[in-house]
Structures are given as C-alpha cells and as structure tokens.
Amino acid sequence: MTIMILGLLIFLGGHSVRIFAESWRQQQIAARGEGTWKVAYSVVAIVGLAIAIYGYGQTRLNPINVWFPPMGLRHAVALLMLPAFIMLVAAYVPGNAIKAKLGHPMMLAVKIWAFAHLLVNGRLGDILFFAAFLVWAILAFKAAKQRSRQLPPAAQATSLPATLATVAIGLVAYGLFAFYLHQVIIGVPVFG
C-alpha cells in the first residue's frame, strides 16, 4: 500500500502544480525553458504512474475488503465509461464541439473513470487509488475553470466532422478497451 501511495503522491503531486503553484510553475518555465519543463514533468509523471500502478498491483495480492459491491454496478460502470472515453478523445481532437462546450474534457473523463471504478471496487487499495484520482480531478477541473475565467474567451471554431470523429474514435477506443484491453492490461474482464 505504501508503494502505491508514494506513486500517487509523485504522479498526482506533479499534476497538481497547476492547482497549487501556478506562479512557481511559470517561474520554472521562464528560467529553464518550456522544453526542459515538459521533459522533467513527463519524467516525474511516468515514474510516479509506474510506481503507483506497481503498488496498486501489490495491494491486490493481499486485499483488505472494505465492502462488497453488488455485481449489478458493473453495468453502471460500463455505461459511465462510454462518455468518459468520448471525453478523453475530445481532449485531443482539434475543433470538436465537445471540448468547446465542456472546456476541460480530460478532467471530466478522469472524474467519471474514478467515480465509476469506486462503485465496483470495495478493496481498500482500490478505494484509495480511485479516490485519489477523483479528488485530484475535481480540484484540477476547478483550477482549470478559474484559469479559463481569467483569460478573455477565445473563439473556438468547431466542425461537425471533428465532433463526429471524436465520438467515433471514443466509441472504438471504448470497444477495444472494454472487450479486449481491460482484460489484457488490468487482468479483469469488463463483461464476464
């Protein structure tokens, strides 16, 4: 459990700089350059995530059950993950109406993912892992909205083809993950 918590602190701590220390972040970028900042940020993120995932896997070896979720909640998770995948894709496809409307679809996707997985995981390690991401996503979304309000609203050109591509890619990614990759990567089937 300690390894997972350490990894979460590194990963989410690095991702929380914009929440709690935006001026320090700007100073570091100004002093060292944006490229150096991005490399350092990426290294911290990769190391933290790797440690968190390894630690999470270790918590599954000796689970501490807090509660036993009803099996029916798996259907709710499968349903909730559909918009989460579409929002995740919306964060990266330029010109889609979903990003223009929501502003920060990546953080919303993380919120949905974390909440959905809290519904069906009753082990202490799972609860800590997903709750940490949920709390971070809530704080990050709030901070991002505040930053957006400080800037003049930028006109965002959207197109129907970009929006349709976003939805299509999100649906395909969802299908691949739900029916194949979740079992391969996580070791747990989504349906079954």
Side-chain angles (χ1 to χ4, degrees), residues 85-107:
F85 268 91
I86 293 169
M87 284 186 234
L88 179 65
V89 172
Y92 296 102
V93 175
N96 73 79
I98 298 166
K99 184 174 183 177
K101 179 72 175 167
L102 299 177
H104 307 282
M106 167 76 82
M107 287 170 243

Side-chain angles (χ1 to χ4, degrees), residues 117-143:
H117 284 76
L118 279 170
L119 291 176
V120 292
N121 290 287
R123 295 179 302 247
L124 181 60
D126 297 323
I127 293 167
L128 291 174
F129 188 83
F130 294 114
F133 275 95
L134 180 58
V135 169
W136 170 81
I138 290 167
L139 295 173
F141 185 77
K142 182 179 177 186

Side-chain angles (χ1 to χ4, degrees), residues 7-8 24 27-28 38 47 60 70 83 89 106-108 111 115 118 122 124 126-127 132 140 146 160 162 172 178:
L8 288 171
W24 178 83
Q27 290 171 357
Q28 299 309 307
K38 286 182 178 181
V47 168
R60 295 169 83 188
V89 172
M106 167 76 82
M107 287 170 243
L108 292 171
K111 280 199 263 189
F115 174 74
L118 279 170
L124 181 60
D126 297 323
I127 293 167
Q146 288 173 342
L160 183 59
V172 168

Side-chain angles (χ1 to χ4, degrees), residues 20-190:
F20 300 109
E22 177 64 22
S23 61
W24 178 83
R25 176 184 170 274
Q26 293 299 331
Q27 290 171 357
Q28 299 309 307
I29 291 171
R32 291 169 175 73
E34 190 170 356
T36 302
W37 171 261
K38 286 182 178 181
V39 168
Y41 181 85
S42 297
V43 168
V44 168
I46 291 167
V47 168
L49 187 58
I51 293 169
I53 291 171
Y54 173 77
Y56 176 70
Q58 294 300 302
T59 67
R60 295 169 83 188
L61 299 176
N62 296 305
I64 299 168
N65 291 310
V66 176
W67 73 296
F68 296 94
M71 289 300 288
L73 284 178
R74 293 176 118 194
H75 300 292
V77 173
L79 185 61
L80 286 169
M81 290 309 298
L82 194 55
F85 268 91
I86 293 169
M87 284 186 234
L88 179 65
V89 172
Y92 296 102
V93 175
N96 73 79
I98 298 166
K99 184 174 183 177
K101 179 72 175 167
L102 299 177
H104 307 282
M106 167 76 82
M107 287 170 243
L108 292 171
V110 173
K111 280 199 263 189
I112 293 170
W113 167 79
F115 174 74
H117 284 76
L118 279 170
L119 291 176
V120 292
N121 290 287
R123 295 179 302 247
L124 181 60
D126 297 323
I127 293 167
L128 291 174
F129 188 83
F130 294 114
F133 275 95
L134 180 58
V135 169
W136 170 81
I138 290 167
L139 295 173
F141 185 77
K142 182 179 177 186
K145 288 298 248 185
Q146 288 173 342
R147 283 192 307 275
S148 296
R149 285 188 200 114
Q150 294 170 355
L151 301 172
Q156 295 180 339
T158 62
S159 72
L160 183 59
T163 304
L164 293 175
T166 298
V167 173
I169 294 167
L171 291 172
V172 168
Y174 171 83
L176 283 171
F177 209 80
F179 293 102
Y180 179 68
L181 292 175
H182 199 276
Q183 170 72 45
V184 170
I185 296 169
I186 312 299
V188 177
V190 171

